């Protein structure tokens, strides 16, 4: 029966297209191929039936390319939804990739949705499901990433009566139209408020950042469904928020949405509540007569918008995410423009330069590492044994600044002990180092108002066993610490490895520290340096592996980078336009040291021109100002400590040939393939790939579409400026 059915269906599918494409061509080629394909399809797709006459092991479940409209397809998908919605959504996503079977997905979802006790919640579950965010087919060319729709876009479009074609070229478009025409009678074409909502969600996903207020005002009456009131109010609020083009419109954001608990989209309600908070801060700005208070209100509004942007990107998975993005960016522009005008009203004299690029920063100057500090709070909160950590990452990423700011994040029962290896590491032996550690612990307890404790004696560490002396001191400290815990910050920990290699320190020091960590729950060590634990390959590091948690310190998030640029301090009196901010981010790759360096030079240039040269100008930085600073070689001389540090790490690191590869890559701002880099560097491709992998692990380079580029554009320009004999383009011209 399967063979006969397949043959007949194959012949039918072969003849029907002949109306549009030519009967002779179709009969000569389409009919034989259709018969053969139908026969093979029937022979290889057995259908077994249960007592209710519906398939038990339906081919849709185990065959991705079923062409024929097999009986029981709709019922099989509905039963899958009734058994396990989570697993069924994965199955529906798989079936929806096949244009011949989308009718089954649409029809099954239509009936299941309208029989659901909470259909709106299910529809949002479908829209936000990870399987629905995947492409219908694997992108093969660069344009496919933009043209191919997601599975969710197709499924919501089918439910909402929209046709979404899932191909990447004109031929795909024609073929999918034909398939849709053939399967149209099998679809459930009834229009209801729920299908209208599905269509609206499809439109939001399709338009993304081009969403307009009208797209949010096309909802039908959903009040009879659970959560319908929530949908209407939030859509109306978002539509209004999108229309605000004046800062003083923002205080109108008053929406009674109820509590997020039990809501269909709690993350959306939380985001709207934060937008209402922004409106309240703008109202405070409007009503205040104090310039300081007005600026403070705008700063709080900016902070809320920055935090909200990160929250939306991380937590809001529903289609409303795109409308929220547009609102946040528009409101940030309005608040920023008001802040710039307010800051220029009575600001006289040179601007105090708040950007620090040479030393660790603290207080208000410390911006953008909330994620790391939150991670440390998670690790070290509560009672009991807490892990020691190692902060590792690229040079000048702010690891030292994180250590300097730990004291403000933890309560009075935490004592931070600064044990920087650059300062205390210049010792002749292990005894001196442990003696310095004991002194640091003693001084920290004394400064914190701790109980009576005798100062550690030098002879206990230098003339006797230093490990015994240190352990006895810690036992005495334990008796008088008064419930305090001690976090010993060890910056530049790679200097320990250098001292061990030089014979000044014993390798068993690390084993001893591990024993202290495991013995005293109140004794925590926080290391910071360049290496990851995996790169610390020497045997004497192995004792620490099981006792230390690695935390990478990478580039700033986009929101944190913007905050560091535009608001280094609450009273910063200069402004940036959006193009200038984006250009700084593009040039620095969100590297915090380079952001501080570039912005420091911008402020210095402003002060020099305004107050030394008498050239009165706008108190706002534009892209042209950024380009002028970047094209000045003084920037690279000022940042030489960073650039040469990265270069020396490449020179001294393993494998070899990293500097040669960097020089080869620097010649082209568009990047090179590994093979092209090997030719330009005059090296074997295997050696080049090994060097590239190490440089990528250290975040110096990255791979984009098969081409290797510098992670930080300013680093590439420095290589051209410093080692520019092989350059193809000028080091300081535009985009390179």
């Amino acid at each position: 029966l399967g063979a006969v059915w397949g043959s007949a269906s194959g012949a039918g599918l072969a003849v029907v297209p002949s109306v549009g494409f030519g009967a002779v061509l179709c009969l000569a080629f389409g009919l034989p191929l259709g018969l053969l394909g139908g026969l093979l399809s029937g022979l290889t797709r057995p259908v077994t039936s249960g007592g209710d006459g519906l398939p038990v092991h339906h081919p849709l479940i185990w065959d991705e390319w079923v062409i024929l409209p097999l009986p029981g397809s709709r019922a099989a998908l509905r039963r899958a939804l009734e058994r396990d919605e989570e697993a069924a959504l994965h199955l529906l996503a798989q079936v929806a990739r096949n244009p011949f079977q989308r009718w089954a997905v649409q029809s099954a979802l239509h009936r299941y949705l309208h029989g659901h006790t909470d259909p709106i919640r299910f529809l949002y579950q479908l829209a936000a499901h990870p399987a629905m965010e995947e492409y219908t087919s694997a992108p093969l060319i660069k344009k496919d990433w933009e043209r191919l729709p997601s599975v969710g876009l197709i499924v919501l479009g089918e439910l909402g009566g929209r046709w979404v074609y899932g191909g990447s070229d004109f031929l795909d478009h024609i073929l999918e139209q034909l398939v849709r025409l053939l399967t149209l009678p099998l679809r459930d074409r009834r229009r209801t408020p729920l299908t209208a909502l599905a269509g609206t969600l499809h439109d939001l996903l399709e338009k993304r950042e081009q969403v307009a207020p009208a797209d949010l005002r096309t909802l039908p009456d959903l009040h009879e469904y659970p959560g319908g009131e929530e949908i209407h109010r939030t859509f109306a609020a978002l539509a209004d928020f999108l229309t605000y083009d004046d800062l003083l419109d923002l205080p109108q954001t008053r929406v009674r949405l109820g509590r997020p608990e039990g809501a269909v989209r709690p993350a959306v309600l939380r985001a709207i509540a934060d937008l209402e908070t922004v409106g309240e801060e703008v109202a405070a700005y409007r009503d205040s007569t104090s310039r300081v208070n007005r600026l403070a209100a705008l700063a709080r509004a900016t902070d809320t918008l920055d935090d909200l942007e990160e929250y939306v990107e991380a937590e809001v998975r529903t289609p409303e995410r795109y409308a929220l993005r547009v609102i946040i960016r528009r409101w940030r522009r309005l608040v920023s423009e008001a802040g710039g005008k307010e800051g220029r009203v009575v600001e006289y004299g040179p601007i105090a330069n708040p950007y620090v690029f040479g030393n660790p920063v603290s207080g208000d100057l410390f911006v953008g590492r909330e994620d790391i500090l939150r991670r440390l709070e998670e690790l070290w909160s509560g009672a009991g044994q807490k892990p020691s950590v190692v902060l590792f990452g690229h040079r000048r990423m702010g690891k030292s600044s994180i250590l300097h700011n730990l004291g403000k994040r933890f309560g009075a029962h935490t004592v931070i002990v600064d044990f920087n290896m650059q300062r205390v590491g210049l010792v002749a032996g292990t005894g001196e180092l442990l003696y310095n550690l004991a002194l640091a612990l003693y001084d920290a307890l004394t400064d914190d108002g701790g109980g009576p404790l005798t100062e550690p004696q030098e002879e206990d560490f230098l003339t006797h066993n230093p490990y015994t002396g240190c352990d006895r001191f810690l036992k005495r400290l334990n008796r008088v610490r008064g419930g305090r815990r001690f976090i010993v910050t060890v910056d530049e920990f790679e200097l320990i490895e250098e001292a061990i290699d030089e014979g000044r320190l014993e390798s068993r020091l690390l084993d001893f520290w591990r024993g202290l960590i495991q013995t005293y729950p109140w004794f925590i060590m926080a290391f910071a340096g360049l290496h990851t634990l995996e790169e610390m390959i020497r045997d004497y590091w192995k004792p620490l592996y099981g006792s230390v948690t690695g935390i990478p310190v990478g580039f700033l998030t986009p929101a944190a980078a913007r905050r560091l640029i535009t608001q280094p301090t609450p009273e910063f009196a200069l402004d940036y336009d959006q193009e200038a901010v984006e250009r700084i981010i593009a040039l620095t790759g969100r590297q915090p040291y380079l952001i501080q360096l570039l912005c420091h030079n911008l402020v210095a240039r402003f002060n020099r021109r305004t107050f030394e040269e008498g050239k009165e100008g706008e108190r706002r930085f534009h892209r042209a100002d950024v380009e002028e600073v970047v094209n000045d070689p003084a920037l690279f001389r000022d940042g030489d400590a960073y650039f040469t540090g990265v270069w020396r790490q490449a020179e001294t690191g393993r494998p070899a040939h990293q500097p040669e590869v960097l020089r080869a890559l620097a010649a082209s701002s568009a990047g090179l393939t590994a093979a092209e880099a090997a030719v330009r560097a005059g090296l074997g491709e295997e050696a080049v790939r090994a060097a590239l992998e190490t440089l990528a692990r250290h975040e110096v380079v990255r791979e984009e579409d098969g081409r290797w580029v510098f992670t930080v554009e300013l680093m590439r320009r420095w290589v051209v400026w410093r080692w520019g004999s092989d350059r193809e383009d000028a080091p300081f011209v535009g985009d390179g």
Side-chain angles (χ1 to χ4, degrees), residues 268-423:
V268 175
L269 298 191
R270 153 80 187 276
I272 291 179
D274 286 350
L275 289 173
E276 291 182 336
T277 301
V278 174
E280 293 171 359
E281 296 297 351
V282 173
Y285 156 79
R286 178 196 60 197
D287 299 334
S288 176
T289 57
S290 164
R291 174 178 172 272
V292 173
N293 290 339
R294 288 164 67 86
L295 283 171
L298 292 177
R300 291 192 299 270
T302 300
D303 289 343
T304 302
L305 287 170
D306 289 341
D307 292 339
L308 178 57
E309 183 178 40
E310 291 190 5
Y311 177 81
V312 167
E313 292 303 318
E315 301 294 338
V316 180
R317 311 310 306 169
T318 57
E320 289 89 339
R321 169 177 47 177
Y322 301 107
L324 288 168
R325 282 181 183 172
V326 177
I327 293 168
I328 291 169
R329 292 170 185 171
R330 181 176 298 174
W331 289 21
R332 183 191 284 118
R333 174 179 57 80
L334 296 175
V335 173
S336 177
E337 289 174 353
K341 294 176 183 177
E342 192 71 32
R344 290 193 293 271
V345 173
V346 294
E347 196 66 46
Y348 301 104
I351 304 300
N353 205 323
Y355 300 103
V356 179
F357 63 90
N359 299 307
V361 296
S362 58
D364 292 336
L365 299 178
F366 181 65
V367 177
R369 289 303 181 191
E370 286 298 314
D371 54 339
I372 305 295
L373 293 174
R374 280 196 297 268
R375 172 66 172 145
L376 292 174
E377 286 178 335
E378 292 171 0
L379 289 174
W380 292 339
S381 62
Q385 187 82 37
K386 302 301 173 186
S388 292
V389 301
V390 55
L391 305 175
F392 63 89
H394 204 297
R395 288 186 179 276
R396 308 282 178 169
M397 279 293 189
K399 300 182 291 294
S400 299
S401 296
I402 292 173
L403 296 182
H404 274 72
N405 286 273
L406 288 179
K408 296 183 178 181
R409 301 292 293 208
F410 299 96
H413 291 290
T414 298
V415 180
I416 307 298
V417 182
D418 182 13
F419 199 63
N420 191 317
M421 291 304 298
Q422 284 188 323
R423 187 176 69 255

Side-chain angles (χ1 to χ4, degrees), residues 615-693:
K615 297 178 181 178
E616 185 66 30
E618 187 181 5
R619 294 195 170 214
R620 174 185 288 262
F621 295 127
H622 301 277
R623 173 167 176 158
D625 301 306
V626 177
E627 299 295 350
E628 187 168 340
V629 167
V630 171
N631 291 337
D632 188 346
L635 178 77
F636 294 91
R637 288 193 291 269
D638 292 343
D640 191 64
Y642 168 80
F643 297 118
T644 56
V646 174
W647 186 264
R648 285 171 185 162
Q649 184 180 6
E651 281 185 321
T652 58
R654 291 172 293 185
H657 306 303
Q658 294 179 46
E660 294 93 324
V661 172
L662 290 177
R663 289 187 64 183
L665 291 181
S668 172
S669 59
L672 301 172
T673 65
E676 291 169 345
V679 172
R680 179 168 290 276
L683 299 169
E685 188 171 343
E686 185 176 345
V688 169
R689 288 190 181 278
L692 287 171
E693 289 174 2

Side-chain angles (χ1 to χ4, degrees), residues 444-472:
L445 180 68
T446 304
D447 294 341
D448 197 55
L453 179 68
T454 58
E455 183 174 335
Q457 301 301 307
E458 188 173 8
E459 58 268 19
D460 292 339
F461 296 84
L462 301 184
T463 61
H464 303 293
N465 186 317
Y467 302 109
T468 302
C470 185
D471 189 49
R472 290 179 62 83

Side-chain angles (χ1 to χ4, degrees), residues 487-733:
I487 299 177
V488 181
T489 62
V490 186
D491 203 2
E492 304 284 350
F493 76 82
E494 60 268 15
L495 296 178
I496 298 173
E497 186 171 298
E498 292 182 14
I500 292 175
D501 291 342
E502 293 169 1
R504 291 188 291 112
L505 295 179
E506 298 174 346
S507 61
R508 58 177 176 164
L509 168 68
L510 303 176
D511 200 9
F512 174 69
W513 276 348
R514 180 195 182 197
L516 295 183
I517 292 169
Q518 295 178 339
T519 302
Y520 300 104
W522 49 268
F523 183 83
I524 299 171
M525 301 192 77
F527 299 93
L530 294 176
H531 301 298
T532 67
L533 292 177
E534 291 78 8
E535 290 180 316
M536 297 156 62
I537 59 175
R538 301 183 185 274
D539 290 340
Y540 48 72
W541 284 108
K542 291 181 180 178
L544 277 176
Y545 283 5
S547 304
V548 178
T549 299
I551 300 177
V553 181
F555 298 100
L556 297 175
T557 64
R562 289 192 191 94
R563 186 183 306 179
L564 175 58
I565 294 167
T566 60
Q567 196 183 4
T569 61
E571 291 294 323
F572 186 56
L574 299 177
D575 198 10
Y576 294 78
D577 69 13
Q578 190 63 26
E579 281 194 24
V581 173
E582 297 303 326
R583 188 58 177 158
I584 293 171
I585 290 175
L587 288 166
T588 62
R590 306 195 305 273
Q591 209 284 345
Y593 173 88
L594 293 180
I595 290 176
Q596 298 267 19
L597 170 67
L598 202 162
C599 293
H600 180 94
N601 282 22
L602 279 170
V603 174
R605 171 179 170 274
F606 172 84
N607 284 335
R608 183 173 62 253
R609 290 195 169 189
T610 304
F611 301 103
E612 294 180 15
E613 301 174 9
K615 297 178 181 178
E616 185 66 30
E618 187 181 5
R619 294 195 170 214
R620 174 185 288 262
F621 295 127
H622 301 277
R623 173 167 176 158
D625 301 306
V626 177
E627 299 295 350
E628 187 168 340
V629 167
V630 171
N631 291 337
D632 188 346
L635 178 77
F636 294 91
R637 288 193 291 269
D638 292 343
D640 191 64
Y642 168 80
F643 297 118
T644 56
V646 174
W647 186 264
R648 285 171 185 162
Q649 184 180 6
E651 281 185 321
T652 58
R654 291 172 293 185
H657 306 303
Q658 294 179 46
E660 294 93 324
V661 172
L662 290 177
R663 289 187 64 183
L665 291 181
S668 172
S669 59
L672 301 172
T673 65
E676 291 169 345
V679 172
R680 179 168 290 276
L683 299 169
E685 188 171 343
E686 185 176 345
V688 169
R689 288 190 181 278
L692 287 171
E693 289 174 2
T694 299
L695 291 168
R697 190 165 60 251
H698 292 164
E699 297 184 297
V700 181
V701 301
R702 68 176 185 271
E703 189 177 14
E704 291 183 351
D705 298 328
R707 304 182 71 83
W708 291 90
V709 297
F710 276 77
T711 304
V712 176
E713 169 64 11
L714 286 181
M715 183 68 204
R716 183 192 74 82
R717 296 189 180 201
W718 178 85
V719 173
V720 175
W721 175 70
R722 180 65 178 82
W723 310 96
S725 59
D726 295 333
R727 65 188 178 190
E728 290 179 350
D729 43 17
F732 307 113
V733 179

